Amino acid sequence: MSKGIPIATIARLPVYLHGLRLLTDRGVSVVSSEELANLTAVRSTKLRKDLSYLGSYGVRGVGYDVSYLTHQISRAMGLTQNWAVVLIGIGNLGQALAGYGGFSSRGFQIKALLDADPKKIGSIVGGQSVLHIDQLERVFSENANSIAVLAVPESAAQGICDRVVGAGVTSILNFAPMVLQVPSSVELRKVDLSIELQILAFYEQRKLANSSALLNSV
Amino acid sequence: MSKGIPIATIARLPVYLHGLRLLTDRGVSVVSSEELANLTAVRSTKLRKDLSYLGSYGVRGVGYDVSYLTHQISRAMGLTQNWAVVLIGIGNLGQALAGYGGFSSRGFQIKALLDADPKKIGSIVGGQSVLHIDQLERVFSENANSIAVLAVPESAAQGICDRVVGAGVTSILNFAPMVLQVPSSVELRKVDLSIELQILAFYEQRKLANSSALLNSV
DNA sequence: GGCTGTGAAAAAGTTCACAGCT
DNA sequence: AGCTGTGAACTTTTTCACAGCC
């Protein structure tokens, strides 16, 4: 049943959840696939196909109940439970992440902030005190099944990653712009803030190239 | 020739560039597809296939010249020219982006920082002074073909986006966790810091579900 | 021998077309 | 009549297998 949800679908479910939250805020209780698709910049057929992998939660001729669909997607994604997150690296990006509302609103609870810089230890960021990186193993042993979020400099990333894996963590989100090596049993995902910018540059370049080609052909 | 580079390939080229930069730093001058693939967490056949869309830049039996390949990928992606970037929204995330080395090292030059908060105007972030959002239209008219990077609150994002589009911008990178509406002539890409975390939660949940199923079956 | 480059096959993902329910 | 749910067709992406060159 809900065994084989395609990876591409899973990546879109959070976007649908966001659209549903907007509708909830507006007091909308029922939505059609067409309307929700417009809010989330996908085609309605794709949305319906995606939802069909989770089950049949709509009503034909009517649409989807917003709160019921929200619950079903959340459940499918494992967001009905609270997730413990440990944030490592409290630089600019780490501070941004610590204060980012999108985490707590989705059930992610930041259990600890770790940094190696003695000047940062004890300072309050996002409502809690920064701990020294030496506490890493203790923090993870006290918070089983935590997700580690790495916002450390590139040069430190692999070393910290190894310690995190050694502490038994099986889910890591990496913001450092580098490829980390982990055992295959560990789920690792990466966010590189500059990759999307480079992709934009590619499209912008092509646009400029096309318009100058157009000029030449006139 | 280089007309039809698949989108999936384009999204990986920045990752290859990063691997090549590592090799350059280590003084490596020639690399095989196998080695570069290991650095970038893809299969070597996929890497070779991707590179084949750009041209034949390797040498059979030998590998790829690191600096030559770097140049060819950069050229294909439009990174040999400098790109003007205007960063809007200088909160925690905006400050992180302003100080992020991954931009300048790839030819992206932050031309201006804009914010609506009077307390921030004139303060120095990442080496330059924050301007008031009123300057938006002037800034973009003085910097043709700029890319706009939005790191503003969700509630302000669509309004700012509309002004940016009105100022003639055709490439926008959005960090606000919402879907923006733009004309089809505008290239819009989005980075949502929490989506990857939600995807991780999905995998972690499945892992936990599987291990308890295993326990039950014993 | 070793490694690239690439058609062909396979897999994954998207869109279409329409059956099925309210 | 209106909107969901889904097999089937189509498109894109990945992987395979091996020819081609140093």
Side-chain angles (χ1 to χ4, degrees):
Chain A
M1 187 183 78
S2 73
K3 184 64 240 299
I5 306 179
I7 298 164
T9 294
I10 291 163
R12 280 187 297 267
L13 292 180
V15 183
Y16 302 151
L17 274 184
H18 185 262
L20 289 168
R21 204 184 64 204
L22 287 179
L23 292 169
T24 303
D25 291 349
R26 291 183 199 163
V28 177
S29 62
V30 174
V31 68
S32 70
S33 62
E34 191 65 38
E35 291 163 331
L36 184 54
N38 286 340
L39 277 175
T40 52
V42 302
R43 302 285 183 84
S44 63
T45 52
K46 192 192 270 186
L47 170 59
R48 289 204 303 279
K49 188 68 155 181
D50 282 341
L51 296 182
S52 78
Y53 293 117
L54 312 185
S56 297
Y57 300 130
V59 180
R60 290 168 203 233
V62 180
Y64 300 87
D65 182 89
V66 172
S67 80
Y68 183 56
L69 186 58
T70 300
H71 176 73
Q72 291 300 342
I73 297 179
S74 297
R75 196 172 54 83
M77 290 218 64
L79 298 177
T80 47
Q81 63 189 280
N82 273 9
W83 290 102
V85 171
V86 174
L87 179 54
I88 308 176
I90 316 298
N92 276 320
L93 181 59
Q95 289 177 44
L97 293 172
Y100 184 57
F103 287 170
S104 58
S105 73
R106 289 166 174 110
F108 295 100
Q109 206 179 340
I110 299 182
K111 290 290 189 178
L113 308 175
L114 301 174
D115 201 288
D117 181 356
K119 276 173 283 184
K120 293 206 181 98
I121 312 306
S123 65
I124 305 294
V125 173
Q128 62 185 299
S129 180
V130 177
L131 303 178
H132 192 271
I133 191 77
D134 284 351
Q135 308 287 306
L136 190 150
E137 284 75 12
R138 186 183 59 75
V139 163
F140 281 110
S141 75
E142 287 174 4
N143 295 280
N145 299 322
S146 291
I147 297 173
V149 175
L150 305 189
V152 301
E154 194 172 348
S155 58
Q158 185 64 57
I160 297 290
C161 176
D162 292 345
R163 279 181 68 183
V164 165
V165 170
V169 173
T170 56
S171 294
I172 301 173
L173 182 60
N174 174 34
F175 281 88
M178 67 172 301
V179 175
L180 295 172
Q181 307 295 325
V182 294
S184 61
S185 58
V186 173
E187 194 68 36
L188 173 71
R189 298 193 69 91
K190 190 165 86 86
V191 179
D192 184 330
L193 302 177
S194 80
I195 281 183
E196 291 291 328
L197 197 53
Q198 291 177 67
I199 296 172
L200 264 185
F202 171 82
Y203 285 115
E204 181 80 10
Q205 176 213 223
R206 198 170 56 177
K207 222 177 305 181
L208 295 176
N210 285 348
S211 58
S212 65
L214 209 66
L215 279 170
N216 290 340
S217 70
V218 172
Chain B
M1 186 184 78
S2 74
K3 183 64 239 301
I5 306 178
I7 297 164
T9 295
I10 291 163
R12 281 187 297 266
L13 292 179
V15 182
Y16 302 152
L17 274 184
H18 185 263
L20 288 168
R21 204 184 64 203
L22 286 178
L23 291 168
T24 304
D25 291 348
R26 291 182 200 163
V28 177
S29 63
V30 174
V31 68
S32 69
S33 62
E34 191 65 37
E35 292 163 331
L36 184 54
N38 286 340
L39 278 176
T40 51
V42 301
R43 301 285 184 81
S44 64
T45 52
K46 192 191 272 187
L47 171 58
R48 290 204 302 278
K49 189 66 158 181
D50 283 340
L51 295 182
S52 77
Y53 293 117
L54 312 185
S56 297
Y57 300 129
V59 181
R60 291 168 201 234
V62 180
Y64 300 87
D65 183 272
V66 171
S67 78
Y68 183 57
L69 185 58
T70 300
H71 175 75
Q72 292 299 342
I73 296 180
S74 298
R75 196 171 54 81
M77 290 218 64
L79 297 177
T80 46
Q81 64 189 281
N82 273 10
W83 291 101
V85 170
V86 174
L87 179 55
I88 307 176
I90 315 300
N92 275 321
L93 180 59
Q95 288 177 46
L97 293 172
Y100 185 56
F103 287 168
S104 57
S105 73
R106 289 164 172 110
F108 295 99
Q109 205 179 340
I110 298 183
K111 289 291 187 175
L113 308 174
L114 301 174
D115 201 287
D117 181 356
K119 276 174 282 184
K120 294 206 179 99
I121 312 306
S123 65
I124 305 295
V125 173
Q128 62 185 300
S129 180
V130 177
L131 304 178
H132 192 272
I133 190 79
D134 285 349
Q135 308 286 307
L136 190 149
E137 284 76 13
R138 186 183 60 73
V139 163
F140 281 111
S141 76
E142 285 175 6
N143 295 280
N145 299 323
S146 291
I147 296 172
V149 175
L150 305 189
V152 301
E154 194 173 345
S155 57
Q158 184 64 59
I160 298 289
C161 177
D162 292 345
R163 280 181 69 182
V164 164
V165 170
V169 173
T170 56
S171 293
I172 301 174
L173 182 61
N174 174 34
F175 281 89
M178 67 172 300
V179 175
L180 295 173
Q181 307 295 325
V182 293
S184 61
S185 58
V186 173
E187 194 69 36
L188 172 72
R189 295 193 70 90
K190 191 166 86 86
V191 179
D192 183 332
L193 303 176
S194 79
I195 280 183
E196 291 290 328
L197 196 55
Q198 292 178 65
I199 295 172
L200 264 185
F202 171 83
Y203 285 115
E204 180 79 11
Q205 176 211 226
R206 198 169 58 177
K207 222 177 302 179
L208 295 176
N210 284 350
S211 58
S212 64
L214 208 66
L215 278 171
N216 291 340
S217 71
V218 171

